[in-house]
Amino acid sequence: MSVFELRDVKYVYQSQYQRVEAIRGISGSFDAGSLYAIMGTSGSGKTTLLSLMAGMDVPTEGHVLCEGVSTSEMDLERYRREKVAVIYQDFRLLPLLTVAENIMYPMELRGKKPAEARKRAMELLEKVGLPESAADRFPAMLSGGEQQRVAIARALGMETRVLLADEPTGNLDTDNSEKIFRILSGLAHDDGYCVVIVTHDSALGERADSMLHLRDGRLLEG
Amino acid sequence: MIVRNGIRSNLRAKGRTALFTGMILVLTLVMVLALGVRLYCDTALAQFDKSYRSIAVVEYMGAEYPDRDEPDPSARAASSAIDDGAIRAIPGVNAWYRDCHTLGTVDGFIRLGNDMPYKNRGVIVVTHLSPKYSMDVGYDPNGELGIVPSDQVDYYTGIVSRSIYSYTGKENIFVSILPDFVPDDVDYGDLYVLHGTFVDGDQLGIHNGMEAFLAMKFPDSDASPVARLEPGEEPGELFAQAAEHYRAINNYVHTVTCGNLNDLWEFHQGVIYLQEGKMPERPDECVISGDLAVKMEIPVGGKLDYTAFSSAENDRYDVELTDRHQSLTVTGIANENTEYTAYIWQQADAPLTRLYGYRIGIASLDNAKSVEAVMAMESIMPENVRVSLLDQGYADAVEPFVSLQSTATNVLLLCAVGTVSVLVLFALLFVGRQNETVRILVSLGTPRRKIVLWLLSGALVISGSATLLGGVLGLLGLPAVFRRIQTRVSGEKELLRFSETLVSTVKTADIKVDTPVWPLALTIAGIILLSLLFCLLFLRTAYRGGTLRRGKSRVRVPRGKTSVFGSGSMRYAVLSIRRGGPRALLVVAVSAVLTLVIIILGGVYRGWETQLDEALHKTQLEGQVTSTDGRFFSGLTVKISTIHKLMSLDDVGDVYVSIRDVYWMPEDIPAFGEGTFAQERRQDWIDAQSELVCTNNLKGAKEFYFTEPVIQWVDGWDESCLADDSYPTIFGALLGIETDKELAPYPAIVGDEFMESHHLTPDCEFTCMMRGNRSLGDEIPVTLHIVGVYHQTGSRAHIYLPLSFFAMPDVVFGEEPPEGSSYGFRYGRWTVENYRAYIYDFYMMESCRFTLTSASHLEESRQALDEAGFGWPGHLGDNRTALVLRDASFVKLTENLGRYLSMGRVMLGLIFGVVALLGFIVSWLLISGRKREFAIMRGFGVRRMQLFLSFFWEQALLCILGCAIGCLALVHFYAGGPLQLLVLGGYVLCYMAGCAISVVLIAKMNLMELLSTRE
């Protein structure tokens, strides 16, 4: 059974001055244990699609189904808290929290005690290849690659089955990009996550299990 | 292009632009209005200062105050103790003039009336002397005691052929000549010149209706006062000098010299004013009284020859001619005033003269500093010296303007602080935080000059237009504000009935205020320039954030270690606080500073409230019955029924009265003769003696109105003896009416000098004499018991006795009139009831003083006194009794405090508004600057309430922490009361409201849009 399913998803940005059809009817499904890459040029709608999958909003038309339930029928906050984890190009780590606290934060949101969350955070740090000493450092003290690994660890701490990544290597050098890709790939193939990456890096997209091309809000065939 | 884009980019940030435009506009508007009002008040106050004069009258409050001729040695000692230099050195004292009131003579002036020193003296030429007659009477050769018994007296009769000087100037009249110095062998046709005094021939019995002349020696010569003249021969030089001396002295004029006549009490208070001419400008110029001008027929510009007198130490009118002659030019003629007949006022530096009366001097004061100057003067004055401020109503006239000026100044300062704060925030947001714009413009290769132009043009158009608009609105609104001020000021000021402040004259001045516009234009320009300055200062910040700088990170790294304490929204709030750095400190600092401001101002306000409360509840106000002009408070005739009326008022507490008559010690009275003339002189002597003062409290005696007496009591005695009603009245006892009370020596409080000079001791008894009545005889002895001794300061030795010595206290202070008949008593029915009724109907109290039960409802007390028919200075009430409340300092204090409190309320309201606005803006800006953090958290699916609480707790804790620090820093200033807490609570609420509204607004934003926000 697919973890994620898109059924004729449409999304329109409506402002006072203009109406932009960002997504114009996309359908597809995403399974656990696979790494997907959504590719497209700037303005093709890939980030909007990821945001809809992340539960930041509901589609204007159509449905985003997670484990068979449409996000339109769900409490989006709870959905974001329990069903999906998102990694961003600019990491979006909370600057005033230490690395460990950033990782602990979503766990605590789900009711885990701080001490337990910290223990789990240390495990996750190890998993993403960061030393224990990084736990008490603040995001601003880390390099871009390290910050992205923290973001991945934080996403893993959410214990969801879906991991969405928006240009996860966009701000990284080649070496760090490779390391991050490997982690994400491992999470899909070894840990059974459904990993969806939005990228414009064709080299990265080609290494995914499945690659979707978007143009003008539509999915290109083939 | 650059300017256009810079302006457009800022104008398109609508919310922020609208907020700051509004704030700058409102602040400019208020500043212009406040400055306009301040300038208006400044101009008005300057005009008031020119129109009014303030003086301080320095007087010694001696026993015979306000007798203007009393030679009181204590007053002179106090006067000598005053340091002229010290007074002149007091800030606010413009000049200090010693009292200089002397006597002199003006050639050609004939004084009318009886008040002349040598009325009976004369130098006459007589002829047709009769043979010597003899009769069995006597006379006092010194002419002081009248006729004394003698075996035989000789006299002549003659005709006054020439009066070289006599008061009447009569010639060709019969006169009896007493024989001293007259040779026995006078010839009928001879002429004799005599120096001497006229005595009443009638009482000699020598010729009915004929005046007698007693030859007297010259004061400073042993030459005979009688000399024979040959026909056509002029009298000798001594006779001519004596005649001239008497003529001059009997026609004396008063001369008052003061450095500036406008500061002299009489002119300052408008008792004397110029009817024509002008004030003198040179020492040889003067103003003369109207009667002098009429009698002398001197016009303005005319001249008079003046010769000064010197007075004897103990009598102003015992004078001698001096060689100080002046030819004075009359520059002005004053109105006619019976109190000021034959006066010359000279504007010159006063020569040092002997003090008579009690006015030591006058200080000319700076109007605005007069109160402080008077307080400073009081602090260096000897005991019993009173300094009275007379400002012609300046304080009342300027009070609304001072109040407005003060409020406008504070509003101006507050707005200035607010404007600076807002302009700093404005520059920070519109220039300092434009890093992204700078980054893009730099990346596009825009020259720095153009980037600066971009940023400044955008910011300055907003601040400039807002300032100009606010300024123009302010300028347009000012005339309406000025009209409102004029309406308010010209509104009828509430008359302070019975107030001491009504005693001095009150002027009204027409003030026409023309406010300059240039300071207002300067203010508007100043605000625009300040805005430019701050924008220029924040340019560096915009560049610093907008361009890369090698080797330096622009990311602030917080400090701390991973925490596992707490849970939920509070945990995140606490972490944010701990690691917030300058952001958190800013909230704490702003809150602490605002708390300090609130506490200090609130404390000051509360202090004023407490002072006012204490003044209202702890002040014991006193009042007194006075003359109708409020100037004199003794020598009155206060009916007992008036005292009953006064006591019937709930607002009146204690009432103190006094009634007095003269006494003398038997051994002190000279041996006067028995004739009418001698008896008149005897009565004159008795009238001049010290008095038995009967009072129920020493406060009731005029001598102690301004000073507390220090009494040394005999053991077992105290002041309560004065109110003791167990003593019979002296007349009641002697007439056998009050038989239920034993006639024992009355307790008496005597002066120390009197006791010493009469060889008396405390606790001893002595007998003095007092005037009696038809039934008891003209003079009666009274036995007194010395129970207390006071330090005698004046020339009089009054003795203080219980009120019951003269009148029963229950009659004076009773609730109902006695039931007996005063007429019955007068017609021989001497019963106690009739006697009580007689006292009630016919006894008059010489002074009456009272206290008010409370100062807190003074206006109600005034109303009650008014309704009871009492009058006040300038207003005669139904019962023809004027009262004055000694309320000047109380009124001043409460008026000042009331003004401060009104101003405080305005200021606290404004401060609350500014503080609340600042709290709101600071919290709103701080939260809205954290949209990204907000978005990340929402991206994790944080519940809205939890998110709200995270920010809310953080801001609440920081704000409360700041307030707590502020409170702790000024714990001593916190004066209690809910005011400061309310204002503080209001600030916290506004701060939290700003925070809450900001969070709610951000929460309403689309999450996808929010996530793309770049801060």
Side-chain angles (χ1 to χ4, degrees), chain B residues 785-805:
Chain B
H785 172 203
I786 299 176
V787 299
V789 181
Y790 68 94
H791 176 57
Q792 218 174 301
T793 54
S795 55
R796 305 299 178 94
H798 300 316
I799 296 175
Y800 299 92
L801 299 176
L803 178 65
S804 53
F805 180 84

Side-chain angles (χ1 to χ4, degrees), chain A residues 80-81 90 101 105 108 136, chain B residues 562-563 571 579 932 941:
Chain A
R80 292 198 297 268
R81 214 161 46 232
D90 54 359
E101 284 163 351
Y105 186 72
E108 288 177 43
D136 285 336
Chain B
T562 304
S563 162
R571 173 174 153 77
R579 293 163 187 171
R932 186 174 171 78

Side-chain angles (χ1 to χ4, degrees), chain B residues 718-961:
Chain B
D718 59 31
E719 200 171 342
S720 63
C721 68
L722 297 174
D724 192 344
D725 61 358
S726 63
Y727 302 101
T729 60
I730 185 69
F731 296 128
L734 294 177
L735 291 170
I737 301 169
E738 284 186 275
T739 51
D740 56 331
K741 294 175 182 172
E742 188 185 346
L743 178 60
Y746 291 92
I749 303 162
V750 301
D752 49 4
E753 283 178 26
F754 165 83
M755 198 173 66
E756 214 169 284
S757 62
H758 291 86
H759 310 294
L760 301 171
T761 56
D763 209 18
C764 80
E765 293 179 7
F766 68 98
T767 299
C768 64
M769 300 300 292
M770 65 173 285
R771 289 192 279 224
N773 58 24
R774 276 187 305 182
S775 307
L776 293 171
D778 289 341
E779 293 163 9
I780 54 174
V782 180
T783 306
L784 305 176
H785 172 203
I786 299 176
V787 299
V789 181
Y790 68 94
H791 176 57
Q792 218 174 301
T793 54
S795 55
R796 305 299 178 94
H798 300 316
I799 296 175
Y800 299 92
L801 299 176
L803 178 65
S804 53
F805 180 84
F806 270 138
M808 298 96 159
D810 62 329
V811 171
V812 178
F813 302 119
E815 290 181 358
E816 297 292 333
E819 290 175 351
S821 162
S822 57
Y823 290 99
F825 180 80
R826 292 179 79 182
Y827 293 109
R829 292 193 292 278
W830 287 0
T831 65
V832 172
E833 282 310 311
N834 288 351
Y835 182 44
R836 289 163 64 85
Y838 178 78
I839 288 174
Y840 179 83
D841 287 343
F842 291 103
Y843 275 35
M844 301 289 173
M845 296 298 128
E846 202 247 5
S847 67
C848 175
R849 230 175 146 188
F850 59 93
T851 60
L852 291 185
T853 49
S854 169
S856 62
H857 47 271
L858 183 55
E859 197 44 45
E860 287 85 343
S861 301
R862 295 184 202 278
Q863 181 65 25
L865 290 169
D866 191 2
E867 285 171 0
F870 291 102
W872 56 84
H875 171 83
L876 204 55
D878 293 343
N879 65 21
R880 298 294 193 257
T881 304
L883 304 182
V884 164
L885 296 175
R886 302 270 295 275
D887 61 353
S889 53
F890 175 79
V891 166
K892 188 89 187 162
L893 177 69
T894 51
E895 270 185 1
N896 280 345
L897 288 171
R899 194 173 72 217
Y900 296 158
L901 286 172
S902 303
M903 185 185 69
R905 276 190 287 275
V906 172
M907 293 308 298
L908 276 174
L910 272 175
I911 286 169
F912 178 76
V914 170
V915 161
L917 187 68
L918 278 176
F920 184 89
I921 292 171
V922 167
S923 64
W924 188 71
L925 287 176
L926 282 175
I927 296 297
S928 61
R930 294 167 70 185
K931 284 179 189 164
R932 186 174 171 78
E933 201 178 336
F934 195 91
I936 295 170
M937 292 169 79
R938 278 197 65 195
F940 287 129
V942 178
R943 291 185 195 91
R944 280 171 193 253
M945 182 50 76
Q946 193 177 354
L947 194 60
F948 174 80
L949 287 176
S950 290
F951 282 85
F952 188 81
W953 286 133
E954 176 192 331
Q955 295 300 310
L957 287 173
L958 285 171
C959 177
I960 291 168
L961 178 67

Side-chain angles (χ1 to χ4, degrees), chain A residues 11 13 48 51 56-57 77 80-81 88 90 92 94-98 100-101 104-105 108-109 114 118 135-136 138 140-141 154 158, chain B residues 555-564 566 571-572 575 579 583 932-933 936-944 946 1006-1008 1011:
Chain A
Y11 191 78
Y13 286 108
T48 304
S51 296
M56 302 300 174
D57 205 348
E77 283 175 358
R80 292 198 297 268
R81 214 161 46 232
Y88 298 97
D90 54 359
R92 296 189 184 172
L94 292 163
L96 298 183
L97 301 189
T98 62
E101 284 163 351
M104 289 157 66
Y105 186 72
E108 288 177 43
L109 277 179
R118 180 181 168 84
D136 285 336
F138 286 90
M141 300 157 83
R154 181 176 63 182
M158 294 177 76
Chain B
V555 179
R556 190 185 69 82
V557 179
R559 291 180 183 178
K561 285 194 170 184
T562 304
S563 162
V564 293
R571 173 174 153 77
Y572 184 76
L575 285 174
R579 293 163 187 171
R583 189 179 70 196
R932 186 174 171 78
E933 201 178 336
I936 295 170
M937 292 169 79
R938 278 197 65 195
F940 287 129
V942 178
R943 291 185 195 91
R944 280 171 193 253
Q946 193 177 354
N1006 184 294
L1007 188 53
M1008 287 168 67
L1011 277 167

Side-chain angles (χ1 to χ4, degrees), chain B residues 601-658:
Chain B
L601 290 177
V604 171
Y605 182 82
R606 180 74 180 149
W608 290 334
E609 271 190 336
T610 310
Q611 274 187 50
L612 182 61
D613 196 49
E614 282 186 3
L616 289 175
H617 292 98
K618 292 186 179 172
T619 304
Q620 168 88 75
L621 280 181
E622 290 181 349
Q624 59 212 33
V625 178
T626 68
S627 56
T628 51
D629 64 358
R631 288 171 61 196
F632 304 109
F633 43 84
S634 60
L636 307 169
T637 51
V638 185
K639 285 181 169 182
I640 293 178
S641 59
T642 303
I643 295 165
H644 278 214
K645 187 163 267 185
L646 197 59
M647 291 200 67
S648 68
L649 302 175
D650 292 338
D651 298 85
V652 173
D654 298 323
V655 177
Y656 314 117
V657 297
S658 74

